[in-house]
Amino acid sequence: MFAVVSYHPHQQKVGSFLRYASSGDAWQKVDTAQANRLLSRHHPQYLFKSKQFDAEFHAVNISDVVKHHRPEQRLKALLAAKPQDEIEQKLHKLITILVQFGVNCDFLGLTGSMLIGQQKKGSDIDLVVYGRQAFHQTRDAVKQAVASGLIEELDLSLMKDNFNRRGGDLNFDDFAWHESRKFNKAAIDGTKFDIGMVCLPDELEHDHHHYIKQGVSTVKAVVLDDHRAFDFPARYLIDNEMTPEVVSFTHTYVGQAIAGETIEVSGAIECDSASGQRRLVVGSTREAIGEYIKVCR
């Protein structure tokens, strides 16, 4: 079972990443190393080297797709039915609260383990929001609901769990400080939920550039433009002549910095083969080891 990770086709294939593998009667979640190992041994046709991005990920032929799990349809189906477990009860409660603060359910979907019916005790609730405006309205609703005491900020235990999954190269204090001001994660009755943005077609940048890797770099610079900070990939324009754009392909650094702040960025330098324009890329792997974005406080 693959998660779609790209808006654009890649040689007529769906850019994706293996997230779950069949294990008898159940689906087993796999990390990046496990996914690559499993595919290289048993299904090498899904390993993909993108010439455009000079990067390796997974890609699936349209003809191989047996089922497309749609987040918006799954959410509607669960909300229309009686909750079957504790996490579905919390989902119903959460959506009621968000709607109370002005969120339109038509722009919401459900992803992660709940999308494929594989949630278990301790699972998170992963929501997607379609469109930049709807996403920021939902973030604002989360902020208001936290202030009203209807949902909770992540406590130390949930933040540490979040850190252990995503912390990467930041220490815990830095990680928690950045996370606490994003309002894209919170908790409902002790269960963590997060919201991620999916751009609408007219919000997409048609990225047909061909990039070549040119080593690694660490820079300090002021953020000039943050309006695409919560996109996938997240983008920041910075005051650095050599690499004026920072792009993050890992969710850890979404919404990480605000215009006017000085950030330190460590990542891979990529060069547009046509224009010579350079950018700094964070998240060449899902775990982004050795790569980070942090605000200089």
Side-chain angles (χ1 to χ4, degrees):
M1 209 156 329
F2 293 81
V4 178
V5 298
S6 177
Y7 291 102
H8 310 294
H10 296 269
Q11 296 171 25
Q12 310 313 308
K13 296 180 179 184
V14 181
S16 54
F17 219 90
L18 182 66
R19 287 284 182 266
Y20 292 88
S22 176
S23 146
D25 298 334
W27 289 95
Q28 185 75 36
K29 197 167 186 180
V30 292
D31 64 21
T32 302
Q34 290 171 317
N36 286 331
R37 199 161 51 240
L38 192 151
L39 292 183
S40 64
R41 285 177 184 169
H42 303 290
H43 303 282
Q45 71 271 28
Y46 297 126
L47 294 172
F48 184 75
K49 171 78 185 205
S50 169
K51 295 189 178 91
Q52 182 188 350
F53 294 105
D54 192 19
E56 294 177 353
F57 48 96
H58 305 159
V60 177
N61 279 319
I62 301 288
S63 58
D64 287 351
V65 177
V66 176
K67 181 175 175 62
H68 177 197
H69 295 268
R70 297 177 180 270
E72 68 283 7
Q73 291 178 1
R74 176 67 171 158
L75 180 62
K76 283 186 171 69
L78 284 184
L79 293 179
K82 186 179 176 187
Q84 297 299 303
D85 56 27
E86 186 184 355
I87 195 166
E88 288 185 12
Q89 288 175 345
K90 291 179 182 181
L91 173 69
H92 278 243
K93 182 177 176 181
L94 172 61
I95 299 299
T96 301
I97 291 168
L98 293 178
V99 168
Q100 180 183 328
F101 286 99
V103 171
N104 184 342
C105 268
D106 290 342
F107 293 98
L108 296 183
L110 188 64
T111 186
S113 59
M114 294 187 78
L115 172 59
I116 57 172
Q118 291 295 308
Q119 72 268 23
K120 54 186 185 292
K121 190 174 173 64
S123 289
D124 295 342
I125 297 171
D126 300 302
L127 295 173
V128 291
V129 188
Y130 295 94
R132 200 176 282 122
Q133 183 179 355
F135 175 78
H136 288 298
Q137 286 173 340
T138 307
R139 268 185 74 220
D140 193 52
V142 170
K143 189 175 182 178
Q144 291 182 62
V146 167
S148 303
L150 295 174
I151 58 179
E152 314 105 47
E153 290 181 282
L154 298 188
D155 62 17
L156 187 61
S157 171
L158 286 175
M159 186 65 84
K160 282 194 168 170
D161 178 59
N162 193 25
F163 173 73
N164 290 333
R165 286 196 235 178
R166 292 208 167 266
D169 272 54
L170 299 184
N171 64 43
F172 177 72
D173 287 343
D174 275 341
F175 176 85
W177 180 83
H178 286 87
E179 290 294 291
S180 65
R181 62 190 202 142
K182 294 179 185 179
F183 294 102
N184 63 346
K185 297 177 190 69
I188 177 88
D189 296 336
T191 291
K192 184 170 88 69
F193 72 87
D194 65 31
I195 57 172
M197 187 176 77
V198 174
C199 286
L200 298 176
D202 63 353
E203 295 172 333
L204 289 176
E205 188 176 278
H206 296 288
D207 203 345
H208 299 303
H209 306 273
H210 176 219
Y211 293 101
I212 300 165
K213 296 264 191 309
Q214 291 193 329
V216 296
S217 180
T218 300
V219 303
K220 276 189 182 179
V222 175
V223 177
L224 302 176
D225 186 330
D226 66 357
H227 88 280
R228 300 189 67 187
F230 285 92
D231 287 26
F232 181 82
R235 295 176 187 266
Y236 307 87
L237 298 184
I238 62 170
D239 186 17
N240 182 279
E241 201 172 314
M242 191 178 106
T243 51
E245 183 181 46
V246 173
V247 178
S248 174
F249 284 95
T250 178
H251 194 66
T252 309
Y253 303 112
V254 158
Q256 192 78 344
I258 298 165
E261 292 180 331
T262 298
I263 57 173
E264 181 176 305
V265 185
S266 185
I269 300 172
E270 288 187 347
C271 182
D272 184 332
S273 61
S275 69
Q277 182 80 26
R278 286 180 170 146
R279 66 183 193 175
L280 206 50
V281 176
V282 177
S284 48
T285 65
R286 177 172 160 82
E287 288 80 9
I289 304 302
E291 304 171 6
Y292 59 84
I293 301 170
K294 65 180 178 184
V295 174
C296 300
R297 294 189 274 153

